[in-house]
Amino acid sequence: MAEVGEVTEGCRLPVLRRNQDNEDEWPLAEILSVKDISGRKLFYVHYIDFNKRLDEWVTHDRLDLKKIQFPKKEAKTPTKNGLPGSRPGSPEREVRKTLDLSLQPASTPASGKTLPIPVQITLRFNLPKEREAVPGEPDQPLSSSSCVQPNHRTTKRKVEVVSPATPVPASTETTQASVFPQNGSARRAVAAQPGRKRKSNCLGTDEDSQDSSDGIPSAPRMTGSLVSDRSHDDIITRMKNIECIELGRHRLKPWYFSPYPQELTTLPVLYLCEFCLKYVKSLKCLQRHLTKCDLRHPPGNEIYRKGTISFFEIDGRKNKSYSQNLCLLAKCFLDHKTLYYDTDPFLFYVMTEYDCKGFHIVGYFSKEKESTEDYNVACILTLPPYQRRGYGKLLIEFSYELSKVEGKTGTPEKPLSDLGLLSYRSYWSQTILEILMNLKSENGERPQITINEISEITSIKKEDVISTLQYLNLINYYKGQYILTLSEDIVDGHERAMLKRILRIDSKCLHFTPKDWSKRGKW
């Protein structure tokens, strides 16, 4: 058995931790750092296959030294012609094939031609009692209707989609396409276990699954991006450097590294002004600052207020100090985004809760002033004290409300965090199901709606609409057409979820005029 003194950075071994059920477990962990405090050794560990926010300092009695794996010596960098060569790069991103919504029949070989994607949806309540939807029959347009099947316990709604006018090229792929099988048949993905590391999404796919919708790296953008370049990760940025943050009446434990000044990282508590987000090293400094700080709300324009909830629009150029402080705070809880001190290309929308002391920050999202890829969100965060209370969906709903005013469809910048993807999936599902369930028949005919119309009504990008229908496993085959089947379970689950969703955006309370940022005078 190894001695405690032999444990060094890079070693892997089981480490004792408590799981969510308050049970002991011994997951494999990597030692990232070792420090000695008053003759007592502490080890900073990262649990393999768990999210980095669970990383922590542990004592030697939690290490299983019998199963230690010492780091292998690195091979020398290959040389060529006497010159040092570069190490082999990561394999190129595989370009994903089309997510085939045409659902090729199992008995017939694929013809290789591009079939039109069904985009017209119809809802009907009295379906003939002939046969159930059978996936895998000859390819036909997609349709959907709603019916009660006689002599069956399960009530199903079937939404009919008639063939569209425009085919989808074989080279396109829906956003998050890797969530679904490549053969086009949709399956519900298994939800990730809480706390487990899922990189860019929580459904077990690789990090590239949330890249640009065609799977090919896009051309260099002239506007800002907050996507983190993971190739420059080092041992410093892999470790949390702030022990605790006091923000107003809350104390927050950061999840990830944030580049606050080095001299502040050794403090037991970092104090922030909750109105201007200025950071100071002690409570006395904070109290002195509060006597001089005139702000009682974020700088910028208040563009929405309903009840105690307000949204402020902040220009990253005009309010640079606040924007940079906001990014520093957000980086403590966002692993997949990087920090840019050049905040000029971004707008920040801060959600606050009002009381007699002022407007307290709840969360925020940022967006580019000019996005060439239809991104309506760059970063989005609900602060931990306000999570699991509906504020995340409210932020998402507000971002799409702005897109509606702008007359555009939008999508969040990828990759999303695991919690971010869960929130977006839930919002997309509830919004689309709400539209499908509210369709009514006219003159005894099936009501019809196209995917393009859903996209225009909700401002959700068409690729996200299609991928959500696949994620919900709604697409089936019925009577020679593709249909969207709303089962009783989906309908009941949606109605229960909507009853819990109390916080909603009221478009009448929004006072927002979009600007044309292509004119440099607006900057």
Side-chain angles (χ1 to χ4, degrees), residues 13 40 198 245 301 307 340 353 499:
L13 72 172
R40 185 182 179 210
R198 286 296 180 266
I245 291 175
N301 299 322
Y340 275 160
E353 214 173 35
L499 286 175

Side-chain angles (χ1 to χ4, degrees), residues 94-101 173 177-185 187:
E94 181 184 351
V95 178
R96 290 177 175 78
K97 296 183 180 179
T98 306
L99 176 62
D100 185 8
L101 291 180
E173 169 187 277
S178 61
V179 173
F180 315 113
Q182 292 290 338
N183 63 5
S185 61
R187 292 178 189 156

Side-chain angles (χ1 to χ4, degrees), residues 291-303:
T291 62
K292 297 180 283 187
C293 183
D294 297 328
L295 282 179
R296 287 298 174 266
H297 59 78
N301 299 322
E302 184 180 13
I303 59 173

Side-chain angles (χ1 to χ4, degrees), residues 251-310:
R251 282 206 168 184
L252 318 176
K253 285 196 74 72
W255 296 348
Y256 307 110
F257 171 88
S258 183
Y260 279 102
Q262 179 68 30
E263 61 270 19
L264 301 179
T265 60
T266 57
L267 300 173
V269 179
L270 179 63
Y271 295 88
L272 267 62
C273 171
E274 63 177 324
F275 300 115
C276 71
L277 303 183
K278 178 183 170 77
Y279 47 86
V280 294
K281 62 182 180 180
S282 69
L283 182 58
K284 192 166 188 178
C285 291
L286 178 63
Q287 290 169 345
R288 191 162 57 245
H289 165 78
L290 290 175
T291 62
K292 297 180 283 187
C293 183
D294 297 328
L295 282 179
R296 287 298 174 266
H297 59 78
N301 299 322
E302 184 180 13
I303 59 173
Y304 178 91
R305 183 188 292 187
K306 184 176 183 183
T308 60
I309 300 295
S310 293

Side-chain angles (χ1 to χ4, degrees), residues 389-390 393-394 396-398 426-431 434 494-505:
R389 290 166 56 182
K393 273 202 190 73
L394 198 66
I396 295 171
E397 187 178 1
F398 189 78
S426 177
Y427 172 78
W428 288 335
S429 300
Q430 290 178 8
T431 303
E434 198 171 25
H494 171 73
E495 289 174 346
R496 284 195 303 271
M498 295 308 288
L499 286 175
K500 294 179 185 175
R501 191 172 159 190
I502 301 169
L503 295 174
R504 298 298 297 268
I505 294 296

Side-chain angles (χ1 to χ4, degrees), residues 5 15 61 105 195 242 332 342 344 348 352 359 415:
V15 176
D61 55 333
I242 303 294
C332 291
D342 180 15
D344 289 12
F348 297 84
T352 64
F359 295 80

Side-chain angles (χ1 to χ4, degrees), residues 77-85:
T77 306
T79 60
K80 184 176 181 181
N81 299 330
L83 298 173

